[in-house]
Amino acid sequence: MIPKKVSSALQETERSMAAYDPDNIFAKILRGEIPCHKIYEDDDALAFLDIMPRSEGHTLVITKSPATNLFDIAADDLCRLMKVVQKLAPELRDAVGADGVLIQQFNGEVAGQTVFHIHVHIVPIKEGVALKPHAGQTADHTALAATAEKIRKKLSA
Ligand code: 5GP
């Protein structure tokens, strides 16, 4: 017989897994159904620019495996995702001439999550430059394309 504690943890996991919507916008980006300004891809993750950037180079790193957020992602998948975040962060910082990076990750609507496929924000920060609001204004696509190109060049250098 499954202990009560384990059984309720399993039920909770099933509930969060059931909540994953395969038609969310990032799942569509992963399937190539909608475009993105891609900067990096490997077997585990895809990284592309946020279309409403808080600063130049604001990047989203998403898993290739489906998960809604921290509550339903497998620990190994989370480790692989964070390895990519760690690899990209200094490259992004240097590519846009920033001084540091802010890492943000929202879990649940109440916490500010708006897209329900797990993702980590890498937001380059420049000394004395204020960040724009979270999910504020859509940036100009020509500017985004130029930034993405700059970052890809740095990554391939
Ligand atoms: P969350 O609040 O879920 O952590 O952040 C979702 C992020 O996705 C926001 O920063 C928002 O600007 C970004 N975003 C929303 N729709 C799109 C899209 O279609 N393409 C890209 N590249 N970013 C998006």
Side-chain angles (χ1 to χ4, degrees):
M1 186 161 139
I2 305 174
K4 208 171 164 194
K5 214 170 157 185
V6 175
S7 153
S8 73
L10 284 173
Q11 278 169 7
E12 183 52 43
T13 304
E14 275 169 19
R15 252 198 306 280
S16 10
M17 289 300 286
Y20 182 80
D21 172 11
D23 280 329
N24 74 74
I25 200 107
F26 292 171
K28 288 182 178 173
I29 287 177
L30 269 177
R31 294 195 294 266
E33 291 166 12
I34 61 168
C36 69
H37 295 281
K38 181 161 92 175
I39 62 157
Y40 176 84
E41 180 171 14
D42 65 17
D43 290 346
D44 303 311
L46 175 71
F48 52 89
L49 294 183
D50 194 305
I51 49 164
M52 292 173 253
R54 303 198 63 193
S55 66
E56 190 196 3
H58 179 172
T59 292
L60 301 169
V61 190
I62 74 174
T63 52
K64 287 206 169 167
S65 53
T68 305
N69 53 34
L70 195 69
F71 303 130
D72 64 342
I73 189 170
D76 285 350
D77 289 344
L78 180 61
C79 289
R80 284 191 278 268
L81 177 67
M82 291 313 291
K83 273 189 184 171
V84 175
V85 171
Q86 187 180 35
K87 173 191 168 92
L88 295 180
E91 303 285 355
L92 287 178
R93 178 198 60 197
D94 295 348
V96 300
D99 302 296
V101 299
L102 169 69
I103 302 295
Q104 284 190 307
Q105 200 273 312
F106 302 85
N107 300 283
E109 200 171 349
V110 73
Q113 185 175 10
T114 56
V115 178
F116 295 91
H117 179 113
I118 191 163
H119 53 280
V120 176
H121 297 255
I122 307 177
V123 185
I125 311 273
K126 290 181 185 170
E127 180 79 47
V129 180
L131 290 179
K132 292 184 190 140
H134 175 64
Q137 264 197 327
T138 303
D140 171 64
H141 278 280
T142 311
L144 287 173
T147 300
E149 180 57 26
K150 199 156 61 172
I151 296 168
R152 284 192 299 265
K153 257 195 190 143
K154 176 79 184 72
L155 281 166
S156 64

